[in-house]
Amino acid sequence: RTLYIDNHTINNKSMITFETIRNDGTKPTMKKLVDLKNIFARQLPKMPKEYIVRLVFDQKHESIVIKNENEKIFGGVCYCIFPISKMAEVVFLAISSDSQVKGYGTKLMNHLKTELQTRDIHFLMTCADNLATGYFKKQGFHKHILMDQNLWKGYLKDYEGSTLMECI
């Protein structure tokens, strides 16, 4: 189990923490994954709940949760690493509605990028829905895919109405 906690203060107002988790079958981790799954289900209403559950709890996927000073999870990102391709896929990313537009999504994405760089991952891919493409553009993603198609084709969870985006 990977456990990485990093403390950040935003505008000197509140302390946030990041924790990297993966389904290890323990009760504390399972509770965190349920909390994160509930945020994804609320914030991504078009995504089938069974699909969210399957991927968030899949042991090949990891998640980084963002917590407030009371240890309450209010957002996170679920991703899958493909080490041979030096690629990771952002599967789900969401911040609770009452904490949006405060910079937490950017902090979370920056934390994810830093974490992946330390693990020698060079490409970050996602299939963004129409509402998310603006967010991902602001985070350095683009629609012009530079990564060799042979390295990602068949690995990414593409779905109708999504746009494949990449960040190097």
Side-chain angles (χ1 to χ4, degrees), residues 35-76:
D35 291 348
L36 183 59
K37 181 264 310 173
N38 290 338
I39 291 169
F40 290 150
R42 263 193 315 275
Q43 298 306 124
L44 307 169
K46 292 182 181 177
M47 197 63 64
K49 288 183 184 23
E50 303 80 24
Y51 182 66
I52 294 171
V53 169
R54 184 165 47 92
L55 297 184
V56 168
F57 287 92
D58 182 287
Q59 293 181 335
K60 294 179 197 147
H61 289 73
E62 297 178 18
S63 296
I64 297 175
V65 294
I66 183 170
K67 302 182 283 186
N68 65 18
E69 60 275 357
N70 299 321
E71 294 291 305
K72 182 177 188 275
I73 294 172
F74 65 92

Side-chain angles (χ1 to χ4, degrees), residues 86-138:
K86 297 192 180 297
M87 171 187 76
E89 177 191 13
V90 173
V91 181
F92 306 116
L93 186 146
I95 302 292
S96 294
S97 54
D98 59 344
S99 296
Q100 289 182 3
V101 198
K102 296 180 181 177
Y104 294 123
T106 298
K107 289 264 188 205
L108 180 60
M109 182 59 73
N110 289 341
H111 187 83
L112 172 64
K113 289 175 183 176
T114 300
E115 168 76 16
L116 294 175
Q117 286 175 335
T118 65
R119 295 165 71 178
D120 200 31
I121 301 300
H122 301 283
F123 295 93
L124 192 51
M125 308 283 281
T126 194
C127 294
D129 66 26
N130 292 334
L131 298 173
T133 55
Y135 165 80
F136 282 105
K137 280 182 185 174
K138 284 197 282 188

Side-chain angles (χ1 to χ4, degrees), residues 22-34:
R22 177 189 305 214
N23 184 353
D24 61 6
T26 64
K27 281 187 179 182
T29 299
M30 297 304 270
K31 178 173 181 344
K32 291 172 189 171
L33 289 172
V34 167

Side-chain angles (χ1 to χ4, degrees), residues 136-148:
F136 282 105
K137 280 182 185 174
K138 284 197 282 188
Q139 304 306 318
F141 284 74
H142 48 83
K143 296 177 188 177
H144 180 70
I145 308 303
L146 300 174
M147 183 180 195
D148 185 330

